[in-house]
Amino acid sequence: MTKPVLHTLSRRAILRGAAVASVAALLPLPRGAFAQSPVSGGTLTIALPTEPQHFNSAMDSTQQVKIIAGKIFSGLLRYDLDMNPLPDLAESWEVADDGLSITFNLRQGVKWHDGTPFTARDVEYSVMRGFGQNNGLVRSVFAPVTEVETPDDHTAILRLSVPSPAIMMALPVATATILPAHIYDNGGNIRENPANQAPIGTGPFRFVEWQRGNAVILERNPDYFEPGLPYLDRIVFALIPDSQSRGAAIEAGQIDMVYHSTAAASDARRLGDLPHLSLSTDGYLFDSTVCFAEFNMAHPILGKTEVRQAIAHVIDKQFILDNIWMGFGGVANTPIHRNLTHAHTDDAPSYPLDLEEAGRRLDEAGYPRGSDGVRFRVTIEFTPFGDQYNRMAQYIRQQLAQIGVVAEVRSQDFPGWVRRIWTDRDWDINVSAITNASDPTIGVQRAYWTENIRPGTPFTNSTHYSNADLDALFVAAAQENDPEARRAQFVEIQQILMTDLPVIPLVAIDQFTIATRRLNNYDQLSDGVYAGFADAWLEG
Amino acid sequence: MSTGLTTGATGARRRRGRYLLRRLGQSAIVLGIVLLLQFTLIHLAPGDIADVIAGDVQSDDPEFIIQLRRDLGLDQPLPIQFAFYVGRLLTLDLGTSHAFNMPVLTLILDRLPATLLLMFSAIALAFVAGAALGTIAAAFRGRWPDVLVTISALLFYATPVFLVGIGLILIFTVWLRWLPMSGMYVTWVQHTWWSLAVDIARHLIMPAVSLSLFFVAIYTRLMRATMLEVLSQDYVRTAWAKGLSPSRVVLRHAARNALLPMVTMLGLQVGSLLGGAVLVETVFGWPGIGRLAFEAVFRRDVPLVLGILFFSSVLVLMVNLLVDLLYTRLDPRIVLR
């Protein structure tokens, strides 16, 4: 059940960096180091930063929905930390050589929490009308699926019009939630189904109660398809909306876990070093997020490539990583997160901090300093996801001032920001982030693809950058069955993007979890805390 | 003689009835204005619930957003949307929350008890503590108890409520480990009614204290000032001259009369108390209506925002009406008109 200790340690050490690892050697061993055999029982309390509106992660994979839904539902596959697929509802699978069909052999004897047997029809419904239609993040990946054949109750065959290799990387419970067809497939609107608030899944935990504004309670599913699992009796999601309070609560031992970096980053390392707590950045591969400064390509000055390249020279990414993200992540050399090892490259143009070079390039581009020392004025917006984005915007404003570009930072709440960026398009520079998910076809293409210029629709191509060569590469990569050829396409894509610079990637963010040391096996999968916790257990 | 008395009593009752009717009429008008203002204000903020939902689901499908706006009636002109809302409200239908996809009334009733408990605990605490401290300060004017009380009151007045909250958490939860810091009760154990009451009380202490401190400061200063004024009045001098004990003079003769302005203040403060509740509920994860309002605004959930505002306005108006009625009890010289 438990993963080999050595593996845990080495990966941990690599991700934390050598300096932290050497300190870690002096500290108590990471949890799991004494891992005896797992113990059954216990209640795990997880701090929930935001109240979810429902528990249907097939149509909305925000973190507060999927952390809960992931325990109640199952997906077709799980993934180990190196993204190798493992069985979940699918026992085995086979991708045809031409990539045009994928066969899943489903586990037998699985029951929904209401006792109805799980069959291939549930898979068909979920792919064709569940997550395949409603989850914006993976919709494009599943778009080539023309039908799901169900020759018997335990076989589901996806037929594709063109190959879509990203599908095999997009099937964890958190994004590709398998829904009960007998409850959802009734001709009604999926958003209005009452089961969204009282979910019925096949996962290791059953929904018990939603105390609005207070807590969500799940209990062990005694009929879970893996015998003997889960170990935990109960999971309580306690709503704690304030980040300082979350930090205090875990420090005082009143809760067992803070996930997805929802304690103050400045406090996280201190908390992680406390004897009863541990800090982990594992298990967030599906949330691989890169933050960046992006440009409105319609801007008369910022629309010019030379200007954007000049501006790139004023930004010290390492400074941002160390001082704003407190070291949680890596410098982003391209818009593809380094976690996506099958696609990421460092072999792309870079723009080291050099204020003189920046000034020289702006002079050449035809924007010399005026008599008042000012070259031109711009505005900077930032996404209201967290304080870091405000600070990055302020940092860029300060750096721009040094080369004679006067920037004004404006702030707004989430709906206001969405309106401004995608509908009103009244912005110059925007400091934001996008999740790459597990593959660039899912989480990178959408930001640069010409077809995805869709005013009024959030998280589509916001810069209105358009490059026919790049479009062709993205489309080819989305359908490329050969991993080597696909990687080459992604490398070229990154080189083009780092030359044209519609965005300046800043930091490839590592999300962190703070958990009690008594908790084992919560971060051993690529979708870590969002997976089912079937084999997570608490030391007595 | 006796007929005269009866007529007098009936007259008073009739006056009170007319007074109540007029006040209720005024309240309805105020409610309407509040709703209209709030409806206008929330639509002045850019973005709507469709933007929020589309952002949540990261939808790349423009048709999805158009359909969503159509389903929620957001494609109608604003005056028509407002007219529909008021029309439904007149049949006591608060509508459905766009974000939660649930009846607004259910959402509010779920949360209202928690906020009422928090508010009334805080206001009771503030009233009692403020009256006591103010009386002490006035009785010991210029001496060290007065100085101590005045300085503490200033400190309470100047400290932001969320700072008090975090401070209390650090002391009583992280350091001393005496009190639970979040939520209203421990959710995952079987409670008897007694253990539940104790558990809620333990959870209530820090939020109620945080919320009340600001008002303790206000009441203390108000009580002190009024007491000083009352203590200089002739009848108090008479009481001293009669040879009554100091405690009897201060408590029986002076304090009772000094309470009237405090009651006025009580009615006025209910509104700002609701405002403070938003912050306190956020810091302590208290499952009340203040935080629900906060979330509703940030999600542009118009029916929920308006529903909460409707309830809060009714609450404030009712408390003020009660306060006005209470005057006549505290000071029989006051007549309702």
Side-chain angles (χ1 to χ4, degrees):
Chain A
M1 263 327 84
T2 39
K3 300 221 57 157
V5 171
L6 250 179
H7 176 82
T8 315
L9 278 174
S10 63
R11 189 177 160 88
R12 214 156 260 294
I14 292 162
L15 281 182
R16 281 187 175 182
V20 183
S22 65
V23 176
L26 304 172
L27 293 168
L29 284 165
R31 91 218 112 63
F34 299 114
Q36 328 85 344
S37 49
V39 186
S40 286
T43 295
L44 179 70
T45 310
I46 300 175
L48 201 61
T50 314
E51 175 142 57
Q53 270 81 42
H54 58 81
F55 308 105
N56 185 344
S57 51
M59 61 181 200
D60 166 357
S61 32
T62 47
Q63 48 87 1
Q64 69 270 23
V65 173
K66 64 184 179 178
I67 184 115
I68 301 170
K71 317 285 175 284
I72 300 168
F73 292 95
S74 308
L76 286 173
L77 301 175
R78 288 184 258 239
Y79 299 86
D80 69 13
L81 288 176
D82 299 315
M83 275 303 283
N84 299 309
L86 304 169
D88 198 3
L89 284 174
E91 256 175 347
S92 61
W93 49 91
E94 198 189 341
V95 184
D97 288 338
D98 60 6
L100 292 177
S101 69
I102 309 173
T103 305
F104 293 100
N105 299 306
L106 305 175
R107 215 181 274 264
Q108 308 208 3
V110 177
K111 282 195 165 59
W112 292 98
H113 294 162
D114 63 1
T116 312
F118 156 78
T119 69
R121 218 178 77 68
D122 297 311
V123 176
E124 182 200 359
Y125 169 77
S126 300
V127 174
M128 297 311 290
R129 273 168 296 156
F131 60 79
Q133 278 300 305
N134 292 282
N135 192 324
L137 207 52
V138 293
R139 217 172 64 97
S140 62
V141 182
F142 286 91
V145 179
T146 52
E147 65 170 326
V148 177
E149 280 175 29
T150 53
D152 60 60
D153 275 357
H154 307 292
T155 312
I157 305 169
L158 274 57
R159 300 279 179 205
L160 286 76
S161 54
V162 289
S164 183
I167 285 182
M168 284 305 286
M169 286 179 269
L171 292 167
V173 57
T175 33
T177 314
I178 301 298
L179 296 175
H182 68 283
I183 287 172
Y184 279 94
D185 194 7
N186 55 9
N189 184 342
I190 184 174
R191 303 201 70 81
E192 286 162 13
N193 197 303
N196 294 339
Q197 269 92 21
I200 289 173
T202 51
F205 294 91
R206 293 194 300 206
F207 173 78
V208 178
E209 192 186 3
W210 180 7
Q211 299 173 345
R212 265 165 239 290
N214 201 29
V216 178
I217 300 171
L218 312 183
E219 67 176 13
R220 184 175 190 276
N221 172 12
D223 303 321
Y224 185 55
F225 55 72
E226 288 191 77
L229 297 183
Y231 294 121
L232 298 170
D233 282 341
R234 207 173 267 261
I235 301 181
V236 173
F237 296 90
L239 190 62
I240 307 181
D242 180 70
S243 82
Q244 296 287 340
S245 305
R246 285 191 292 273
I250 196 153
E251 183 167 4
Q254 295 192 346
I255 53 168
D256 302 315
M257 177 188 283
V258 172
Y259 70 100
H260 203 280
S261 313
T262 49
S266 49
D267 216 19
R269 303 232 185 251
R270 181 185 68 81
L271 290 173
D273 284 345
L274 292 176
H276 69 293
L277 297 178
S278 69
L279 178 71
S280 168
T281 53
D282 280 349
Y284 289 102
L285 191 134
F286 285 90
D287 284 80
S288 297
T289 298
V290 176
C291 63
F292 49 73
E294 63 181 355
F295 300 96
N296 188 340
M297 301 298 279
H299 190 277
I301 302 172
L302 299 174
K304 295 182 178 170
T305 308
E306 317 86 84
V307 172
R308 296 194 299 276
Q309 289 174 340
I311 287 177
H313 276 295
V314 308
I315 297 172
D316 182 355
K317 298 176 182 181
Q318 190 67 46
F319 178 90
I320 293 177
L321 172 63
D322 294 342
N323 295 287
I324 297 178
W325 291 96
M326 303 299 159
F328 285 106
V331 160
N333 294 321
T334 81
I336 297 182
H337 199 290
R338 58 187 179 147
N339 276 358
L340 278 53
T341 48
H342 65 291
H344 173 81
T345 181
D346 281 328
D347 180 21
S350 64
Y351 305 84
L353 178 68
D354 188 341
L355 295 180
E356 277 173 36
E357 172 73 7
R360 201 179 54 72
R361 284 194 181 212
L362 282 181
D363 288 341
E364 278 174 16
Y367 299 100
R369 282 178 187 265
S371 53
D372 54 353
V374 176
R375 294 175 198 271
F376 55 87
R377 291 168 193 276
V378 293
T379 57
I380 305 181
E381 323 294 330
F382 61 90
T383 174
F385 286 159
D387 197 34
Q388 284 96 343
Y389 295 90
N390 183 4
R391 279 186 245 160
M392 286 192 287
Q394 299 293 350
Y395 168 76
I396 292 170
R397 182 185 63 80
Q398 223 170 57
Q399 292 297 99
L400 285 175
Q402 298 193 44
I403 58 162
V405 176
V406 177
E408 179 204 349
V409 176
R410 300 191 289 199
S411 96
Q412 48 248 311
D413 69 356
F414 182 72
W417 174 77
V418 165
R419 250 316 142 85
R420 181 187 288 283
I421 303 297
W422 282 278
T423 306
D424 299 341
R425 304 207 48 74
D426 170 27
W427 60 281
D428 301 339
I429 297 176
N430 178 31
V431 178
S432 180
I434 190 170
T435 167
N436 293 173
S438 52
D439 187 82
T441 299
I442 304 171
V444 179
Q445 177 175 348
R446 56 188 177 139
Y448 308 100
W449 195 22
T450 307
E451 266 192 48
N452 217 24
I453 296 179
R454 290 168 178 172
T457 312
F459 298 103
T460 52
N461 182 339
S462 46
T463 61
H464 286 197
Y465 169 74
S466 171
N467 177 334
D469 294 341
L470 190 85
D471 290 346
L473 278 166
F474 268 126
V475 171
Q479 305 175 5
E480 180 55 64
N481 246 343
D482 173 27
E484 277 314 304
R486 193 161 184 257
R487 178 177 171 78
Q489 288 157 343
F490 284 133
V491 168
E492 202 181 338
I493 283 169
Q494 289 166 84
Q495 287 164 346
I496 292 176
L497 284 173
M498 287 312 290
T499 307
D500 288 357
L501 279 186
V503 314
I504 303 173
L506 300 172
V507 170
I509 302 163
D510 282 342
Q511 308 291 355
F512 61 82
T513 310
I514 304 170
T516 166
R517 272 182 191 278
R518 293 167 54 232
L519 180 65
N520 297 272
N521 281 352
Y522 67 87
D523 59 350
Q524 300 301 304
L525 294 170
S526 273
D527 57 342
V529 299
Y530 299 116
F533 279 10
D535 60 352
W537 58 280
L538 279 166
E539 283 159 35
Chain B
M1 210 44 181
S2 64
T3 16
L5 259 179
T6 321
T7 327
T10 319
R13 212 174 297 132
R14 202 177 292 145
R15 263 208 308 282
R16 176 168 298 198
R18 267 207 311 275
Y19 174 79
L20 271 177
L21 267 182
R22 203 178 63 244
R23 281 293 298 264
L24 287 177
Q26 286 169 349
S27 301
I29 295 170
V30 170
L31 267 181
I33 295 172
V34 166
L35 284 180
L36 182 62
L37 271 178
Q38 190 58 29
F39 187 82
T40 315
L41 276 177
I42 193 161
H43 282 102
L44 282 179
D48 63 14
I49 180 85
D51 287 321
V52 176
I53 293 178
D56 277 357
V57 307
Q58 310 235 330
S59 169
D60 55 358
D61 182 3
E63 189 52 42
F64 172 82
I65 300 179
I66 294 169
Q67 186 61 43
L68 204 59
R69 292 214 169 95
R70 201 177 300 141
D71 290 350
L72 300 176
L74 300 176
D75 53 347
Q76 303 289 324
L78 288 184
I80 293 185
Q81 287 187 39
F82 187 66
F84 269 127
Y85 182 79
V86 173
R88 272 205 318 262
L89 195 61
L90 290 177
T91 65
L92 295 181
D93 176 9
L94 286 174
T96 304
S97 154
H98 292 160
F100 288 90
N101 215 343
M102 290 185 64
V104 167
L105 190 64
T106 312
L107 286 169
I108 292 178
L109 291 182
D110 267 4
R111 302 283 194 103
L112 197 62
T115 296
L116 289 180
L117 179 64
L118 177 62
M119 273 179 57
F120 285 110
S121 313
I123 206 86
L125 191 63
F127 193 86
V128 172
L133 288 174
T135 307
I136 291 171
F140 294 88
R141 180 181 188 182
R143 279 176 288 157
W144 67 265
D146 183 24
V147 175
L148 193 68
V149 166
T150 314
I151 290 180
S152 318
L154 196 65
L155 205 67
F156 294 162
Y157 186 79
T159 316
V161 59
F162 61 91
L163 218 63
V164 176
I166 299 284
L168 289 177
I169 289 176
L170 288 178
I171 296 171
F172 291 102
T173 303
V174 176
W175 185 39
L176 295 173
R177 311 220 164 178
W178 285 353
L179 292 173
M181 56 144 292
S182 195
M184 190 168 165
Y185 49 90
V186 177
T187 51
W188 51 92
V189 297
Q190 286 291 325
H191 282 291
T192 62
W193 67 268
W194 173 245
S195 77
L196 183 67
V198 170
D199 199 24
I200 290 180
R202 276 166 52 80
H203 280 82
L204 180 62
I205 294 174
M206 289 200 290
V209 169
S210 310
L211 184 56
S212 71
L213 276 190
F214 176 81
F215 300 98
V216 169
I218 290 182
Y219 289 142
T220 303
R221 297 193 61 95
L222 186 67
M223 188 69 183
R224 180 177 177 274
T226 326
M227 276 295 282
L228 288 177
E229 196 189 315
V230 174
L231 282 173
S232 68
Q233 300 224 339
D234 289 347
Y235 77 92
V236 175
R237 197 179 328 133
T238 312
W240 286 119
K242 277 199 293 185
L244 293 177
S245 72
S247 65
R248 197 170 166 82
V249 173
V250 171
L251 296 180
R252 265 303 279 265
H253 291 255
R256 198 171 160 200
N257 274 302
L259 279 177
L260 210 56
M262 297 274 286
V263 175
T264 315
M265 204 58 168
L266 191 84
L268 290 175
Q269 295 293 356
V270 173
S272 51
L273 204 61
L274 268 174
V278 176
L279 288 171
V280 171
E281 287 175 6
T282 302
V283 171
F284 291 99
W286 190 259
I289 208 169
R291 220 178 67 222
L292 188 67
F294 182 77
E295 285 163 20
V297 168
F298 276 85
R299 301 188 70 86
R300 302 286 191 271
D301 190 347
V302 178
L304 189 52
V305 173
L306 293 182
I308 293 170
L309 234 96
F310 177 76
F311 260 83
S312 323
S313 311
V314 170
L315 189 69
V316 172
L317 289 169
M318 294 311 280
V319 169
N320 276 290
L321 187 56
L322 274 178
V323 165
D324 287 351
L325 293 178
L326 200 61
Y327 279 162
T328 56
R329 289 256 173 253
L330 283 177
D331 187 343
R333 288 169 301 179
I334 295 175
V335 178
L336 297 173
R337 279 193 296 154

